[in-house]
Amino acid sequence: MKYTPCTINDAEYSIPLYQRLFEWGSENVAQLLDDLQSAFEKYIHISSSTISEIDPTEGDYYIGMLTSTVADKSGEKLYLVDGQQRFTVMTLIGCVMQSNARDSWRKFLLYREKPRLSFISRKSDELYLIKLINQEFDYEGELVNYKMKEAIKTVRDHMDKFQGDKEAFANYIYNHLSFFISELPEKYGVQELNKYFERMNSSGKDLEHHEILKVKILSKLDGNVSLYMQLWNKIADVDTILLRKKDYQQESEAEYNSRKNKVLMSSLADIEASPELINNLKDEDNKDALPIKNIGIRNKKPQDFSNNHFNGSKSVLRFPQLLLLTLFLYLKNKKGDEFSPKLEDFFNQNKLLETFQKHLPFEGVSVNKECLKEFFEHLLHYRVAMDVCFVRSLEYGYSLDMNLPEDNKDLRELMMFESFLYVSSSNLTYYRWFGWLMAYVMNNKRIPNAKELFLELKKQTDSLNKLPKYSKLHFGKEIKYWFWRLDFYIWQHRYELFKSEEDASYLDIAENYVFIRNRSIEHIAPQHPKTESKLQWSESEDDNALLNSFGNLVMISQSLNSALSNSSYEEKKAHVESYFNSVNGTIESLKLLMVYKDFSTCWSKDNIPLHGEKMYSFLKNDITPDVE
């Protein structure tokens, strides 16, 4: 829930012993004050002429997230588990701002006539803070905390130099310095709090929004919250496969696949009853492990994971994206067509908490525990399906599980198609093919085979993206998708297109093709060719249409585009030739490879439409053209 010094709840905040000392330097405090002053000036500028007329909800300045847990049964004393630096500097600013707005700031600084902020086992800091609250800024005794004293001096110096309305500025900070307070579940014990704090300090970062969301959602659920926390953490680690084969237990492939399908349909109650379904959940995997001395002789060769295509792979989706995609699909399934949010806002990861509170409230009177539980179950199911059926990235290329060898024909076809979908997507379009995939898996209540999943994704993709007329595929239009789609077609039909012995080198290049993002459209024959180029353009309308036509365009990286800018066809041909019998990585365009194969000697105005129509016919073979 959002707070300001004005609206903070009725409680005392106590900083535990394991928290580090106040460490903000003068430069940190000065930067915060400069930012607050800029926000204040903007606030005054955009509002009406008198401060009394300003909308009280406008102009909030967000300082960050605080995390607390209840310290006593009354709920009036909270441990500040994370955020003591921000809370302390806010308190020190308030000590100085009393000079300009005493009545307001005293309400924040004191709770029941005692300092709102206290320090466990740091009595001297607590006593010094009382002196600062009483504005004894010149105190020089043994209680002095020199970091706090330095911060106080920085705030006082800033206010001495401030040329505007000091009372208005002090009241602006009191009413608009905003922060969220995330309360950890009361079930958190001392050990869990210590682990939580250590994790926060080892990263040196504030809590991510999804970590705040975890606490908000799970604290509302009934059941084994500690187990749910572990499960959520495992789901959040998207780069680590959630369900892995238990080789030490000699789990067979059939057992492993059965476990995947079982988790795919499990409720939270099922997981609570059988945590061994998830690898290392509550260390259940190790409960039946044998001591070394009792391990018998095996005549089966140990499985070699060193060359496993899954090693080192990473999810192409980050966890906040997975959360938003799951929420979108959950609400779409629940509400149907009446759920139609503005996608740009919904999938804005910076607004993750805001989006969840709006559509699946975790605070206030609208909280629905059953819906929160259902969402968590959907998240688990989608994560299992994503691990198995959703392409993952490697340092060079992609990987896909599907319980198949990596050289399986159907698996490679699906992996290449998903790679194409990935590179041709953006943050606002992931939901389409992610949704198609998840819907297909969940409707079938099992992990599908690679061929049927490929056919489903292709059907959905091609029904959404109708092929434009050839004349519409020209330079200046948003046509990157069709270059990637064409490259997939060429790869898919590589054995037909490069079937002769003379084509062996072309086939090798096509085999090694990898879909990569960050591509730009380039003319094969440039608009302003170098003087030695054999193909020169006139100013005629026909030449201009031919220059910018699909046949004369190729999609390559921006770096290669720059390197080949205005290069003749002969130079571009040399670039293609560099991939023959080399280890230069993947060629950047299979369309460019086809140009070289069909027109190896020259690139002319007669050849451009021949190539363009041929490439267009490839697309027409698979996709219904848009006749409009």
Side-chain angles (χ1 to χ4, degrees), residues 64-76:
M65 169 62 63
L66 312 177
T67 306
S68 67
T69 188
V70 175
D72 61 19
K73 292 183 179 179
S74 71
E76 294 182 0

Side-chain angles (χ1 to χ4, degrees), residues 392-566:
R392 295 171 64 86
S393 67
L394 297 167
E395 184 177 357
Y396 180 76
Y398 302 91
S399 67
L400 191 62
D401 184 3
M402 295 297 292
N403 310 315
L404 294 167
E406 60 182 307
D407 60 351
N408 178 275
K409 178 181 179 295
D410 292 338
L411 178 73
R412 284 205 70 198
E413 188 173 51
L414 174 61
M415 183 183 72
M416 289 296 287
F417 194 75
E418 287 194 11
S419 303
F420 145 66
L421 291 176
Y422 169 63
V423 299
S424 62
S425 298
S426 69
N427 283 341
L428 297 182
T429 57
Y430 283 142
Y431 74 92
R432 289 177 182 155
W433 70 285
F434 181 91
W436 299 333
L437 190 150
M438 293 304 154
Y440 191 73
V441 172
M442 301 313 296
N443 288 339
N444 284 276
K445 296 182 172 54
R446 61 176 176 83
I447 303 295
N449 67 53
K451 188 65 177 180
E452 66 179 280
L453 186 55
F454 164 70
L455 293 174
E456 173 67 16
L457 289 178
K458 184 178 180 299
K459 181 184 74 173
Q460 296 279 6
T461 302
D462 292 345
S463 67
L464 182 69
N465 299 280
K466 296 299 183 182
L467 178 65
K469 291 181 179 179
Y470 180 82
S471 59
K472 298 287 183 68
L473 295 176
H474 62 78
F475 190 76
K477 292 285 187 178
E478 281 295 324
I479 55 175
K480 289 183 179 180
Y481 173 89
W482 295 108
F483 284 88
W484 274 310
R485 184 67 178 84
L486 175 61
D487 276 357
F488 174 77
Y489 180 92
I490 295 171
W491 177 87
Q492 186 184 27
H493 294 83
R494 61 198 181 281
Y495 295 114
E496 304 162 31
L497 297 172
F498 311 116
K499 60 185 177 182
S500 69
E501 290 185 14
E502 293 79 11
D503 292 339
S505 296
Y506 294 99
L507 181 60
D508 287 342
I509 294 174
E511 282 281 6
N512 294 323
Y513 179 70
V514 174
F515 284 101
I516 300 175
R517 283 182 178 274
N518 301 322
R519 294 291 180 251
S520 61
I521 305 296
E522 165 78 349
H523 294 91
I524 298 173
Q527 186 173 9
H528 303 291
K530 295 178 180 178
T531 54
E532 66 271 19
S533 175
K534 296 177 182 178
L535 198 158
Q536 299 288 330
W537 300 102
S538 70
E539 298 294 326
S540 71
E541 187 174 320
D542 288 345
D543 264 17
N544 185 60
L546 193 60
L547 166 72
N548 294 312
S549 69
F550 183 60
N552 192 44
L553 300 177
V554 67
M555 191 167 67
I556 54 180
S557 67
Q558 292 178 350
S559 59
L560 182 60
N561 190 357
S562 299
L564 298 178
S565 180
N566 296 330

Side-chain angles (χ1 to χ4, degrees), residues 139-155:
Y139 171 78
E140 293 291 350
E142 61 182 11
L143 300 175
V144 171
N145 179 309
Y146 287 99
K147 279 291 186 181
M148 290 185 185
K149 187 175 182 68
E150 182 183 335
I152 286 287
K153 182 179 184 303
T154 304
V155 181

Side-chain angles (χ1 to χ4, degrees), residues 249-264:
Q249 291 183 352
Q250 301 183 40
E251 184 177 35
S252 68
E253 284 294 334
E255 291 170 332
Y256 180 37
N257 295 336
S258 175
R259 182 159 60 95
K260 289 178 183 177
N261 284 315
K262 188 170 184 179
V263 175
L264 196 64

Side-chain angles (χ1 to χ4, degrees), residues 130-394:
I130 292 173
K131 290 187 177 295
L132 296 178
I133 291 173
N134 292 330
Q135 297 191 299
E136 297 179 38
F137 300 141
D138 297 326
Y139 171 78
E140 293 291 350
E142 61 182 11
L143 300 175
V144 171
N145 179 309
Y146 287 99
K147 279 291 186 181
M148 290 185 185
K149 187 175 182 68
E150 182 183 335
I152 286 287
K153 182 179 184 303
T154 304
V155 181
R156 295 179 74 190
D157 289 347
H158 187 95
M159 292 306 289
D160 287 342
K161 296 174 185 176
F162 186 75
Q163 298 296 312
D165 186 333
K166 294 182 179 180
E167 182 180 359
F169 184 42
N171 279 320
Y172 165 79
I173 298 174
Y174 180 69
N175 288 290
H176 294 282
L177 181 57
S178 303
F179 51 92
F180 285 91
I181 298 178
S182 173
E183 290 190 17
L184 295 174
E186 293 183 38
K187 299 173 185 177
Y188 258 41
V190 174
Q191 184 179 11
E192 289 169 310
L193 289 174
N194 273 302
K195 284 182 180 178
Y196 181 93
F197 179 74
E198 285 169 8
R199 180 166 176 251
M200 289 303 304
N201 278 283
S202 64
S203 67
K205 297 178 180 178
D206 292 339
L207 279 173
E208 298 281 357
H209 288 185
H210 66 80
E211 293 175 305
I212 298 165
L213 182 68
K214 171 183 71 175
V215 174
K216 294 289 188 182
I217 289 180
L218 300 189
S219 64
K220 300 296 188 296
L221 298 184
D222 298 324
N224 190 338
V225 175
S226 179
L227 183 77
Y228 296 165
M229 283 279 181
Q230 292 182 58
L231 179 59
W232 181 288
N233 290 340
K234 286 184 174 296
I235 293 172
D237 182 10
V238 291
D239 289 334
T240 301
I241 301 301
L242 187 65
L243 304 180
R244 302 177 302 283
K245 189 176 180 183
K246 299 178 180 180
D247 190 56
Y248 72 91
Q249 291 183 352
Q250 301 183 40
E251 184 177 35
S252 68
E253 284 294 334
E255 291 170 332
Y256 180 37
N257 295 336
S258 175
R259 182 159 60 95
K260 289 178 183 177
N261 284 315
K262 188 170 184 179
V263 175
L264 196 64
M265 293 295 137
S266 290
S267 66
L268 286 180
D270 295 332
I271 300 299
E272 204 169 336
S274 304
E276 69 277 1
L277 289 170
I278 310 291
N279 292 72
N280 300 316
L281 188 62
K282 288 199 71 176
D283 297 323
E284 289 290 333
D285 277 348
N286 300 320
K287 69 178 182 180
D288 297 322
L290 294 173
I292 293 177
K293 65 179 181 180
N294 294 337
I295 296 177
I297 297 174
R298 295 176 63 187
N299 56 14
K300 179 182 176 183
K301 182 180 178 181
Q303 188 173 351
D304 180 14
F305 291 96
S306 59
N307 295 316
N308 191 309
H309 71 286
F310 232 50
N311 278 3
S313 68
K314 293 185 176 181
S315 171
V316 295
L317 297 179
R318 297 295 90 203
F319 186 53
Q321 292 172 320
L322 176 60
L323 284 169
L324 290 170
L325 286 164
T326 302
L327 179 64
F328 182 88
L329 296 175
Y330 169 70
L331 295 171
K332 201 71 176 172
N333 290 336
K334 202 171 186 67
K335 299 183 179 182
D337 291 339
E338 70 176 86
F339 175 67
S340 56
K342 186 178 179 183
L343 297 179
E344 185 176 354
D345 289 335
F346 189 95
F347 286 100
N348 184 340
Q349 295 172 55
N350 295 323
K351 296 182 178 179
L352 186 142
L353 288 173
E354 200 176 301
T355 299
F356 268 84
Q357 178 60 22
K358 178 179 179 181
H359 296 285
L360 185 67
F362 47 74
E363 287 183 328
V365 295
S366 300
V367 171
N368 185 316
K369 290 184 178 182
E370 188 60 31
C371 288
L372 292 174
K373 186 188 79 170
E374 288 174 356
F375 166 79
F376 192 10
E377 290 173 345
H378 276 67
L379 183 63
L380 170 62
H381 300 156
Y382 290 173
R383 176 59 209 281
V384 173
M386 187 178 83
D387 279 357
V388 181
C389 305
F390 210 76
V391 70
R392 295 171 64 86
S393 67
L394 297 167

